[in-house]
């Protein structure tokens, strides 16, 4: 239901902690990293100070090339760095039924890119929610309202670090 999605819940939690933030959901349901990079430039307004990059799960669900996923996420982080935007990069994990080689390669992309680009990194966006039927919708993949609350609780300290990074970047030297 409206107001129970990730961005709305995260914004409400941050506001409850005294942060004056507006979080805009620039995601598209079912999007891949290719779709994300294709619309990055037009999705970003000049007043965006920070971005949470959470893409890649649909790449893995479709069994898309790990190298293509890596290339798209790498380019996205390069573009965000060029815009001088503070980034919180969230990791994803491949479904375990795709085989050990794919899983190992896919799961390694996120920490490698976080290190390469020196961005704030939350290792697994769906921590505590993935594969938990009580925390997912009937499809077993997308978090329900309770699952979203678990995700926000886990990522909240990282979102606060993101805001601290934005504030320190804006402070005069």
């Amino acid at each position: 239901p409206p107001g129970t999605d990730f961005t709305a819940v995260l914004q409400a939690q941050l506001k409850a902690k005294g942060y004056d933030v507006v979080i805009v959901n620039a995601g598209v349901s079912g999007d891949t990293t290719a779709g994300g990079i294709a619309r990055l430039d037009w999705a970003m307004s000049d007043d965006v100070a920070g971005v949470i990059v959470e893409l890649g799960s649909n790449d893995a669900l479709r069994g898309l090339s790990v190298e293509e996923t890596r290339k798209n996420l790498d380019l996205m982080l390069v573009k965000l760095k060029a815009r001088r935007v503070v980034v919180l990069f969230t990791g994803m994990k491949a479904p375990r039924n795709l085989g050990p080689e794919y899983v190992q390669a896919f799961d390694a992309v996120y920490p490698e890119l976080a290190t390469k680009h020196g961005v704030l990194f939350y290792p697994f966006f769906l921590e505590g929610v993935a594969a938990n039927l009580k925390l997912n919708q009937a499809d077993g993949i997308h978090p329900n309202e309770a699952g979203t609350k678990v995700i926000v609780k886990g990522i909240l300290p990282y979102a606060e670090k993101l805001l601290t990074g934005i504030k320190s970047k804006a402070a005069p030297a």
Side-chain angles (χ1 to χ4, degrees), residues 29-40:
S29 184
D31 211 1
T32 62
T33 58
I37 195 66
R39 63 187 166 70
L40 178 67

Side-chain angles (χ1 to χ4, degrees), residues 24-29 31-48 51 76 79-80 83:
V24 176
N25 183 354
V28 173
S29 184
D31 211 1
T32 62
T33 58
I37 195 66
R39 63 187 166 70
L40 178 67
D41 290 330
W42 65 259
M44 296 281 297
S45 62
D46 290 337
D47 62 344
V48 172
V51 173
M76 186 170 289
K79 286 182 170 229
L80 291 169
R83 287 179 169 265

Side-chain angles (χ1 to χ4, degrees), residues 6-26:
F6 171 72
T7 52
V9 174
L10 180 59
Q11 180 173 296
Q13 288 292 314
L14 289 169
K15 283 186 179 265
K17 288 180 157 267
Y19 295 98
D20 183 21
V21 296
V22 174
I23 301 178
V24 176
N25 183 354

Side-chain angles (χ1 to χ4, degrees), residues 76-97:
M76 186 170 289
L77 293 171
V78 165
K79 286 182 170 229
L80 291 169
K81 186 180 272 186
R83 287 179 169 265
R84 300 184 43 81
V85 173
V86 182
V87 174
L88 169 53
F89 186 47
T90 67
M92 292 304 299
K93 294 184 180 181
R96 294 341 207 196
N97 64 338

